[in-house]
Amino acid sequence: MSPTPMPSLTGGMSFDNMMCSRCGEGFEPHEKIVNSTGELWHQQCFVCAQCFRPFKDGVFYEFENRKYCEHDFQVLFAPCCGKCGQFVIGRVIKAMNANWHPACFRCEMCGGELADSGFIRNAGRALCHECNAKVKAVGLGKYVCHKCHGLIDDQPLKFRGEVYHPYHFNCTACGVELDSSAREVRSRPGFANNDMNELYCLRCHDKMGIPICGACRRPIEERVVTALGKHWHVEHFVCAKCEKPFFGHRHYEKKGLAYCETHYHQLFGNLCFVCNQVIAGDVFTALNKAWCVHHFACSMCDQKMNQKTKFYEFDLKPACKKCYEKLPIEFRRRLRRQHEAVPKKMVPA
């Protein structure tokens, strides 16, 4: 319902046989009369049918032959938007069991407006056609082509961060139709369109002599790391244990894999149980663990111990004799039964 501008005021005319549409009374000579769609009103009678106040700025809304100010019309008749909660005046989108402003009715995945493009209801959500296709593809374990939005039944072609049917592209060098083995190469001086990446078939790409990353199998356009008999992107050359990139830091090789210093020594060397650092000097072993000399201490009082100190195992950690004997007798008996009541000496490596 659109607002109606204030009707004209008429004065100086004879309305002897005319009556006010609201109060039914006649008009005085030379009285200013409101003329709205052929009906006449006293000025004081031309008011909102709900609050009986004059129309602000002369704007009113008409419904079933009754006139309302904007506020009362919204309260009585205008629907509320399902997103912003405001009254919807003008075009109303009715969808998903609610009313919406056209600008408020959007795809719940990408945020694109749906008022004119249409939508699909998916698991209680309003989605655009493209996002619905992506959701459907995920459910089927497939990709959606970024160009035609169709499902990709075979291996996709990845280009500029998106996936496509390979047949949408041709090799930049020889023009052959591409397949999923095509390689994306950053344009260089002397090549066409050197402001964007390009696609090459595998044969043409191999002729260019560009190294391939041993992890992602994609071309390496910038800095190359050579290790383990392969080439790597800097960010793809990682520790086989924690998978953190080395970024130029030292790595250790073992059985065809690369490890950071910490995990190499953890797996194949000695790390102190307390500081978790590589033990550079003498190594003490106790309770099936390795310790720095200055870190082997009672877990209860923190008193330093050496190879001559008598200790007991408590909660898989060493406890000196003095602290151990402070424990309740019944508790110590239970520990003896569990650990066979044999004191253990610290043995130097």
Side-chain angles (χ1 to χ4, degrees):
M1 178 71 68
S2 301
T4 305
M6 189 71 176
S8 61
L9 295 175
T10 304
M13 299 179 63
S14 176
F15 297 95
D16 294 337
N17 297 322
M18 300 296 182
M19 300 296 177
C20 174
S21 296
R22 181 170 184 269
C23 67
E25 300 292 333
F27 300 99
E28 297 294 332
H30 306 292
E31 178 183 2
K32 288 188 176 181
I33 302 171
V34 180
N35 185 346
S36 175
T37 61
E39 295 182 322
L40 303 179
W41 312 69
H42 293 108
Q43 272 190 284
Q44 64 272 20
C45 291
F46 193 69
V47 294
C48 173
Q50 180 68 16
C51 66
F52 306 112
R53 295 177 182 176
F55 301 111
K56 186 178 179 180
D57 299 326
V59 175
F60 65 90
Y61 294 78
E62 189 166 3
F63 183 74
E64 294 183 349
N65 295 322
R66 304 187 73 188
K67 297 175 175 58
Y68 300 89
C69 64
E70 183 175 9
H71 175 269
D72 288 326
F73 179 80
Q74 291 177 347
V75 171
L76 294 172
F77 307 111
C80 289
C81 177
K83 180 179 181 181
C84 68
Q86 300 297 316
F87 292 115
V88 183
I89 303 298
R91 184 184 180 191
V92 181
I93 304 298
K94 294 182 178 291
M96 306 294 290
N97 299 320
N99 300 290
W100 315 80
H101 290 105
C104 289
F105 188 52
R106 296 175 175 272
C107 173
E108 294 187 35
M109 284 186 62
C110 68
E113 290 191 19
L114 301 173
D116 297 315
S117 61
F119 74 98
I120 297 176
R121 184 168 186 156
N122 187 307
R125 299 180 299 171
L127 303 180
C128 65
H129 292 279
E130 182 176 347
C131 288
N132 182 71
K134 290 181 180 179
V135 171
K136 182 179 179 181
V138 170
L140 297 173
K142 298 182 178 181
Y143 293 95
V144 175
C145 177
H146 188 66
K147 183 174 183 179
C148 68
H149 307 305
L151 294 181
I152 303 175
D153 294 323
D154 298 320
Q155 288 297 316
L157 172 62
K158 296 183 178 179
F159 183 44
R160 298 177 188 169
E162 303 291 348
V163 293
Y164 299 85
H165 288 108
Y167 55 74
H168 289 312
F169 300 92
N170 297 87
C171 175
T172 302
C174 68
V176 68
E177 184 179 287
L178 296 178
D179 57 27
S180 59
S181 67
R183 303 299 188 192
E184 181 179 358
V185 177
R186 179 175 298 178
S187 299
R188 294 172 290 175
F191 289 80
N193 299 323
N194 58 15
D195 60 339
M196 62 181 65
N197 294 6
E198 297 163 335
L199 286 170
Y200 294 86
C201 67
L202 192 58
R203 179 181 178 184
C204 291
H205 176 271
D206 290 344
K207 291 181 180 179
M208 300 168 69
I210 299 175
I212 300 298
C213 177
C216 69
R217 306 305 303 165
R218 308 301 296 175
I220 305 174
E221 300 295 327
E222 297 180 346
R223 182 182 173 188
V224 179
V225 176
T226 302
L228 305 176
K230 298 179 181 179
H231 302 291
W232 313 81
H233 287 107
V234 175
E235 64 274 16
H236 290 165
F237 186 53
V238 301
C239 171
K241 177 66 175 178
C242 64
E243 298 185 350
K244 292 182 179 179
F246 294 108
F247 290 130
H249 295 292
R250 183 178 180 181
H251 72 276
Y252 297 78
E253 298 183 7
K254 185 78 171 181
K255 296 181 180 180
L257 298 174
Y259 298 89
C260 64
E261 184 177 16
T262 298
H263 288 109
Y264 178 82
H265 288 289
Q266 185 182 76
L267 295 171
F268 311 109
N270 292 306
L271 290 181
C272 176
F273 178 72
V274 175
C275 66
N276 201 37
Q277 299 297 316
V278 178
I279 303 175
D282 292 335
V283 179
F284 287 102
T285 58
L287 309 179
N288 296 320
K289 300 178 179 66
W291 314 74
C292 294
V293 175
H294 56 284
H295 282 157
F296 187 69
C298 174
S299 61
M300 300 175 71
C301 67
D302 203 32
Q303 178 184 346
K304 298 292 189 264
M305 299 189 293
N306 55 42
Q307 64 268 31
K308 296 181 180 180
T309 306
K310 189 174 183 178
F311 70 93
Y312 295 83
E313 181 178 352
F314 174 67
D315 194 22
L316 302 180
K317 298 177 183 177
C320 68
K321 181 178 179 181
K322 183 177 180 180
C323 290
Y324 184 80
E325 290 179 346
K326 291 180 180 180
L327 298 173
I329 295 177
E330 182 59 33
F331 184 59
R332 281 184 286 162
R333 288 175 181 171
R334 191 159 58 247
L335 289 177
R336 288 192 190 98
R337 289 195 295 267
Q338 293 176 352
H339 304 301
E340 298 180 345
V342 179
K344 300 179 181 178
K345 287 280 188 175
M346 182 169 56
V347 181

